[in-house]
């Protein structure tokens, strides 16, 4: 993201989310979604960012890990 290559960031994060879901790793899903929401925000898609962050927060709450909140 630091180089503003949002397409590459989207691809990498989509893959990370898929891998974390496949491996039943909700913490990884929550973290990846959080960053995925950041990319949407940086691109100016605030509604999408909000929707992604809401999903990330719901998953994080289910993990009972205070570091995710």
């Amino acid at each position: 993201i630091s180089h503003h290559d949002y397409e590459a960031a989207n691809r990498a994060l989509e893959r990370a989310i898929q891998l974390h879901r496949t491996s039943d790793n909700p913490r990884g899903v929550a973290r990846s979604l959080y960053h995925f929401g950041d990319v949407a925000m940086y691109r100016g898609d605030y509604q999408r960012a909000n929707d992604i962050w809401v999903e990330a927060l719901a998953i994080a709450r289910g993990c009972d890990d205070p570091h995710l909140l």
Side-chain angles (χ1 to χ4, degrees):
I1 297 174
S2 63
H3 297 288
H4 303 285
D5 191 351
Y6 301 131
E7 290 303 319
N10 269 336
R11 287 190 302 273
L13 289 164
E14 286 173 345
R15 180 72 177 137
I17 292 163
Q18 178 185 24
L19 289 171
H20 289 304
R21 284 188 171 151
T22 300
S23 64
D24 194 30
N25 179 1
R27 286 177 179 83
V29 173
R31 284 188 202 111
S32 296
L33 282 169
Y34 174 80
H35 294 297
F36 196 50
D38 286 347
V39 173
M41 180 194 64
Y42 295 143
R43 296 180 83 174
D45 193 345
Y46 303 112
Q47 182 59 54
R48 183 165 188 240
N50 186 69
D51 293 345
I52 293 168
W53 288 329
V54 166
E55 181 182 357
L57 181 59
I59 293 169
R61 284 183 174 148
C63 292
D64 196 31
D65 182 345
H67 294 103
L68 291 175
L69 302 175

